[in-house]
């Protein structure tokens, strides 16, 4: 205001800042808006561990088959569940835990406008999911993944207060959009299968599962091949509950 000629520049700077924050929120793997777990910690890498994460379940048409595939390969996974769906299928959620897997928080409703919400709405959406999932499994989630990975600068203080790590991924398969199992697998492991490494956090979906050309969920075609490749690479699967310590809320 003291330098009228500078006003357009100041406005421009505010606009750029706003665009920068928006871009950071639209880039799920960015760390600009607070800590964001994209790989497992060094101890897990030293133990040659990787983590399979499955979002948007539980789904009674897909998740039971996923559990059988995981058992057949002696693998463990982390399920980022939509809490409202978990409440509709509590026995399935308990079965996930009973078979040695991990249940974490993927919000109560998986709202598509999640990243546009204010602090109160974010706290309600995440806190309700914490209560829902804890009541069913008896275990309190300590990891959160934002719907579609999108977020805003108000999210990290809420997660910090609730003792939740924000977890994204190292690579994702885009398996809710792509019906081609080979392409989905290659996004996760590289064209020649060589990208798979200790510390990787990989993302697939047991909910909102896309069907392949022969009508089966793509995930069920990708998973046996992915688990076999991980075994060949000498990697051991672990859950996020095993790999990540509680987030300090102090
Ligand atoms: Zn999701």
């Amino acid at each position: 205001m003291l330098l009228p000629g500078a006003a357009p520049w100041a406005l421009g700077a505010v606009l750029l800042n706003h665009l920068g924050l928006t871009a950071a929120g639209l880039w799920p793997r960015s760390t600009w808006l607070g800590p964001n777990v994209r790989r497992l910690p060094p101890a897990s890498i030293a133990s040659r561990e990787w983590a399979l994460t499955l979002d948007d379940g539980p789904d009674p048409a897909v998740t039971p088959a996923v559990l059988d595939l995981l058992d057949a390969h002696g693998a463990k996974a982390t399920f980022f569940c939509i809490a409202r769906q978990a409440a509709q299928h509590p026995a399935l959620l308990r079965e996930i835990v009973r078979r040695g897997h991990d249940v974490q928080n993927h919000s109560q409703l998986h709202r598509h406008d999640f990243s546009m919400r204010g602090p109160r709405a974010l706290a309600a959406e995440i806190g309700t999911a914490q209560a829902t999932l804890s009541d069913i499994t008896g275990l309190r989630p300590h990891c959160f993944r934002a719907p579609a990975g999108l977020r805003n600068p108000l999210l990290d203080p809420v997660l910090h207060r609730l003792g939740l790590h924000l977890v994204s991924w190292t690579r994702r398969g885009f398996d809710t959009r792509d019906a081609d199992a080979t392409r989905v697998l290659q996004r996760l492991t590289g064209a020649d299968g060589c990208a798979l490494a200790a510390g990787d956090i990989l993302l697939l979906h047991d909910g909102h599962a896309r069907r392949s050309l022969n009508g089966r969920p793509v995930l069920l075609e990708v998973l046996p091949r992915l688990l076999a490749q991980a075994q060949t690479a000498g990697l051991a699967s672990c859950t996020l509950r095993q790999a990540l310590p509680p987030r300090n809320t102090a």
Side-chain angles (χ1 to χ4, degrees), residues 55-56 82 106 110 146-148 205 208:
D55 285 13
D56 296 4
I82 301 173
H106 194 37
H110 205 268
H205 294 77
H208 298 140

